[in-house]
Amino acid sequence: MNLLGLESVLPLDDVMRMNKRQLCYQVLNFGMIVSSALMIWKGLMVLTGSESPIVVVLSGSMEPAFHRGDLLFLTNINEDPIRVGDICVFKIKDRDIPIVHRVIKVHEQADGNSIFLTKGDNNNVDDRGLYAEGQMWLSRSDVIGRARGYVPYVGMVTIIMNDYPKFKYLVLAVLGIFVLIHRE
C-alpha cells in the first residue's frame, strides 16, 4: 500500500510482475493481432482488386454525396468500364494522397481504352488543375478503385489522428500497453 492506502494503478507494475513466459506470450499476442490485421487488409486487396480497398474522404469536395470523414469501400475490376457518374478514387503522379471525385466525361479511344475527366461535386471546375503537369485526362491506370459503399463519418478518427500526431501516438501507446498487460 502507498501513503493514500491505494494499490498502485500503473500498468507498468503489471508488466513488471509478469514472468518471462507471460511477457513473451503477451508480445506474441500483440504480434498476432497486428499480423491478422495485415492479412485481412491483403485479403481485401485481393477480393476487391484495389490497392486500397477502404479510403477516408479528406475534404468537402464531394459534398453532398460524401462528407469529410466518410469511409468508402472500393472495388477495381478492370473488366467493368468506367462510366459517367461513377465515383472514382485516383492517384496523380507525384502526389501521395488519392482523390475521390465523380467522372463527368468519358472518351473511348480507337484502341479500345478510354480516358476520362473528373470533378468534385462541390467544386466549380473540373480536375484538370489537379492532374499532373501536361495531363488533361485520366486513364484506367490512374484509378485505385470505384466507390461501392460508404459508412458516414467513421473515418473522422483517422483525420483526427493525422491532424494531431501526438493524439495518434497516445492512442497507439494506450492500445499497446493494454495488449501487454491484459492477461486473458
Side-chain angles (χ1 to χ4, degrees):
M1 285 202 176
N2 60 18
L3 294 175
L4 297 175
L6 300 173
E7 292 182 16
S8 177
V9 292
L10 289 176
L12 191 57
D13 288 345
D14 287 338
V15 173
M16 299 303 285
R17 278 186 273 160
M18 287 184 192
N19 62 33
K20 288 180 184 179
R21 177 177 279 173
Q22 287 174 320
L23 186 60
C24 184
Y25 174 77
Q26 295 301 82
V27 169
L28 286 173
N29 190 24
F30 182 72
M32 290 292 289
I33 291 169
V34 170
S35 63
S36 295
L38 289 173
M39 285 190 293
I40 290 169
W41 184 259
K42 289 294 184 182
L44 284 173
M45 288 173 65
V46 169
L47 287 174
T48 63
S50 176
E51 69 182 67
S52 184
I54 299 172
V55 296
V56 175
V57 177
L58 298 176
S59 74
S61 66
M62 280 302 292
E63 290 180 2
F66 300 119
H67 298 277
R68 188 171 192 253
D70 288 354
L71 191 71
L72 301 181
F73 300 102
L74 308 179
T75 61
N76 193 18
I77 302 167
N78 287 329
E79 294 78 31
D80 193 11
I82 293 176
R83 297 179 184 93
V84 171
D86 284 351
I87 297 171
C88 290
V89 178
F90 56 92
K91 211 166 193 179
I92 302 297
K93 184 181 173 188
D94 298 328
R95 292 185 119 179
D96 294 332
I97 299 173
I99 300 170
V100 179
H101 281 173
R102 190 178 306 274
V103 174
I104 59 171
K105 289 183 185 175
V106 176
H107 288 286
E108 296 291 329
Q109 296 178 316
D111 61 3
N113 292 326
S114 60
I115 56 174
F116 52 94
L117 181 64
T118 57
K119 175 185 173 293
D121 291 355
N122 202 22
N123 294 349
N124 293 326
V125 296
D126 62 41
D127 289 343
R128 287 188 173 136
L130 298 175
Y131 299 163
E133 188 174 328
Q135 185 178 14
M136 299 302 286
W137 300 87
L138 293 175
S139 65
R140 184 67 189 197
S141 62
D142 297 316
V143 176
I144 294 174
R146 285 185 276 182
R148 299 296 185 190
Y150 77 102
V151 179
Y153 301 111
V154 172
M156 284 306 288
V157 174
T158 302
I159 292 173
I160 290 168
M161 286 189 181
N162 285 332
D163 288 350
Y164 304 102
K166 289 180 182 176
F167 178 71
K168 173 174 54 178
Y169 296 128
L170 175 70
V171 168
L172 290 173
V174 168
L175 290 175
I177 289 170
F178 178 75
V179 167
L180 284 175
I181 65 169
H182 196 265
R183 293 180 186 234
E184 295 178 15

